Amino acid sequence: YKLKSTIAKMLHKLLLPCYALVLSAIHFDNTAITNDGGKISSIFAKAFSTGTLGGHKFLQRKTGSDCYSFTPTSQQAPTVFAIAKASEEYCATVKADRDTKKSKSRVVIIGAGVGGLATAALIQSSCDVEVIVLEKNEKNLVGGRCGSFDVTIDGVGTFRHERGPSLLLLKNEYESLFEVCGTKKRADGASTVAESYGLSMKQCVPAYQVVFDDGDTVNLGFPTTYRYEDMWKSSIDKLNSFENNGASKWAEYLETCAAFLDCGLPNFIEEKLDLGSFQNFVWEALRDGLKRWPLQPHSSMLNSLFTSPKMCALASFQDLYVGLEPSENSGQIGGGVFRKTAPAVFGLLAALELHPNNEKAGVFAPIGGFRQVAESMQNLCIECGVKFYFETTVTCVAEDGVYYVSKKNETASDSFLPADLIICNADLPFATETIAKPKGVRENESKYYEERYDWNDNVDYS
């Protein structure tokens, strides 16, 4: 049992960082991956009784403390996080308290990024509570880094630029948000509920073009329906030019990565046991004399499957998304996978972007830019009854509410907004250095903070 538990925790740590790439991909049913990978896998009630949830540390409120906040553990961890769905237990508690309170319970969410917007919509649509989102920026910056801005050049035209992400993954998760929270039906001509709120996402075919340092290029990411287009045929020829049977080797590699994705996502990220997915995972891990073993350095796996450096590069540059290197470090335990070397299981990132028929795969572009994602989610929140206060900066998170200052009245002293539940979706460095510190607490007064880990904080990227 101890061995099984240790292996499970290790796999959890190895798999979790790879989803930092999943820009704004949100998973529901009491689990969340927010716009840069932060994760909470429990119910609201536990948020107040434990200090460790889903592999993250929490600055847990304690007797005598003025402030508390929730923050991910790692220095390299995602900067924001959110709870994705109000649990049934929390809703039941709210319902029970209604008889004894004249007013509704209040939930305050700090930050109107994608994580904050999704959290607000899910809570408001699930519970009879008052949800307020406080955002320090102007209304046109809703969505945080998930947004766009225009640049006009005289005599040339107006051009849209993205503030943060430039590609969208796990499209179904966005669509689920609108299906779960929205009241609108599919409008005429709309293929999804999300489109009824103005969010339309189109798959990019090919997903992207890879450019090598010698100027050579290859297009990747063709769904099955495009298999016989001229561009796809050209891509096959290019892969075969890199090495003998390069295209078939690439297709086989993607099947291995898809098995890692199909098992890793439900079991280790969403933490929903899916026994059926382990069959392919184990088969891929053990076949060919352990050439595809998921916990070896990524480069070790690729060197056993490909002979061309270009093929190895195609299959490993996704490791850079999460700040890791694919190369084996022979001077470290496990070739460096416990430090800064990506394990082979990170190949699931390639499947997530490039697999031809996996239902989770594909690179998508929101029509109208990424600001359309945020604006559509804000419209959903407003329809659900969420209240927004823009140009409102939170200065401290207290045990029973938040202190804030409004840009409209910056000369006034901090105002206080009472709250029954506070969710911090602000940037991690900003939150820990400012609003997470109690008023008047000195740097060395560590009694207000408690750090807890679910495995080993010495792992560089955990």
Side-chain angles (χ1 to χ4, degrees):
Y1 172 81
K2 290 183 178 179
L3 177 61
K4 178 181 177 182
S5 176
T6 301
I7 292 175
K9 289 180 178 179
M10 180 173 66
L11 286 172
H12 179 94
K13 281 297 183 183
L14 290 172
L15 284 165
L16 181 58
C18 70
Y19 286 92
L21 135 86
V22 184
L23 303 170
S24 310
I26 305 160
H27 297 272
F28 307 123
D29 297 330
N30 303 333
T31 307
I33 303 175
T34 62
N35 52 331
D36 53 0
K39 180 171 178 289
I40 296 178
S41 55
S42 187
I43 59 176
F44 284 127
K46 289 183 180 178
F48 292 102
S49 60
T50 64
T52 303
L53 297 177
H56 296 293
K57 97 185 157 186
F58 289 79
L59 306 180
Q60 190 177 17
R61 64 175 180 178
K62 304 166 77 175
T63 302
S65 171
D66 292 324
C67 289
Y68 67 94
S69 68
F70 307 114
T71 57
T73 49
S74 171
Q75 294 178 353
Q76 296 185 25
T79 58
V80 300
F81 70 98
I83 300 175
K85 186 176 182 181
S87 69
E88 293 181 1
E89 289 187 28
Y90 178 73
C91 292
T93 302
V94 170
K95 186 176 181 181
D97 287 345
R98 254 182 275 156
D99 296 333
T100 59
K101 292 183 178 181
K102 293 183 180 180
S103 59
K104 294 181 179 179
S105 295
R106 176 180 291 160
V107 177
V108 171
I109 298 174
I110 305 170
V114 170
L117 295 173
T119 303
L122 284 160
I123 296 176
Q124 191 69 83
S125 64
S126 302
C127 298
D128 185 16
V129 297
E130 179 186 25
V131 179
I132 297 177
V133 178
L134 303 179
E135 169 58 49
K136 68 178 181 179
N137 294 309
E138 301 174 358
K139 183 178 180 180
N140 63 348
L141 293 178
V142 65
R145 291 183 179 84
C146 183
S148 316
F149 64 93
D150 296 324
V151 174
T152 299
I153 301 177
D154 293 339
V156 179
T158 300
F159 303 89
R160 186 184 71 236
H161 298 263
E162 305 300 344
R163 291 201 302 263
S166 57
L167 56 85
L168 185 148
L169 307 175
L170 291 172
K171 176 175 72 82
N172 292 342
E173 301 300 338
Y174 292 88
E175 294 175 344
S176 296
L177 174 67
F178 291 89
E179 293 173 0
V180 169
C181 303
T183 60
K184 293 181 180 180
K185 304 293 184 181
R186 293 185 183 181
D188 293 339
S191 59
T192 65
V193 175
E195 288 187 8
S196 300
Y197 288 85
L199 179 57
S200 178
M201 295 165 282
K202 184 176 181 179
Q203 186 168 5
C204 301
V205 180
Y208 44 68
Q209 182 183 74
V210 177
V211 181
F212 296 95
D213 56 1
D214 62 359
D216 206 358
T217 64
V218 60
N219 293 310
L220 297 176
F222 295 88
T224 304
T225 52
Y226 288 83
R227 277 298 182 95
Y228 299 101
E229 299 290 339
D230 290 341
M231 188 178 291
W232 174 77
K233 293 180 180 178
S234 176
S235 175
I236 295 299
D237 292 340
K238 178 65 72 170
L239 292 173
N240 286 331
S241 72
F242 292 156
E243 64 177 82
N244 291 332
N245 299 317
S248 61
K249 291 180 181 179
W250 175 255
E252 188 176 11
Y253 171 72
L254 286 183
E255 291 303 319
T256 298
C257 295
F260 293 165
L261 173 65
D262 290 338
C263 183
L265 183 60
N267 292 289
F268 300 103
I269 303 303
E270 296 179 337
E271 296 184 352
K272 299 175 184 177
L273 184 61
D274 180 8
L275 294 176
S277 65
F278 279 95
Q279 181 177 353
N280 285 339
F281 181 88
V282 173
W283 165 252
E284 293 293 342
L286 299 181
R287 76 187 183 99
D288 292 344
L290 298 179
K291 286 183 178 181
R292 304 163 194 270
W293 181 246
L295 299 184
Q296 65 179 316
H298 202 174
S299 61
S300 299
M301 173 184 177
L302 298 178
N303 289 335
S304 67
L305 300 178
F306 303 109
T307 59
S308 165
K310 289 185 177 180
M311 294 295 290
C312 292
L314 287 178
S316 61
F317 75 86
Q318 295 88 354
D319 296 338
L320 304 178
Y321 294 171
V322 289
L324 299 179
E325 57 187 36
S327 303
E328 177 182 5
N329 190 324
S330 59
Q332 296 178 355
I333 298 176
V337 296
F338 295 102
R339 297 297 302 277
K340 296 182 179 180
T341 296
V345 71
F346 275 37
L348 58 84
L349 295 174
L352 185 62
E353 293 182 337
L354 305 172
H355 196 277
N357 54 27
N358 189 288
E359 62 179 10
K360 305 179 186 65
V363 171
F364 295 83
I367 304 302
F370 274 84
R371 62 181 163 210
Q372 193 61 40
V373 177
E375 290 174 2
S376 298
M377 293 175 69
Q378 184 189 15
N379 292 336
L380 175 66
C381 288
I382 293 174
E383 180 190 79
C384 293
V386 176
K387 300 176 183 178
F388 287 88
Y389 294 94
F390 292 96
E391 299 183 75
T392 302
T393 301
V394 174
T395 58
C396 182
V397 180
E399 187 167 329
D400 54 350
V402 298
Y403 291 90
Y404 68 94
V405 60
S406 174
K407 189 175 182 180
K408 298 177 181 179
N409 192 14
E410 292 180 333
T411 59
S413 59
D414 290 2
S415 301
F416 181 75
L417 179 65
D420 299 283
L421 176 65
I422 303 162
I423 302 172
C424 183
N425 190 61
D427 283 343
L428 176 61
F430 170 79
T432 54
E433 293 300 319
T434 56
I435 62 178
K437 292 183 178 180
K439 287 180 175 294
V441 172
R442 297 188 300 273
E443 293 291 336
N444 60 351
E445 292 191 45
S446 58
K447 66 180 181 180
Y448 288 94
Y449 302 96
E450 182 176 356
E451 298 181 354
R452 297 184 184 180
Y453 309 95
D454 72 339
W455 188 47
N456 184 355
D457 190 55
N458 291 325
V459 178
D460 287 347
Y461 58 87
S462 67

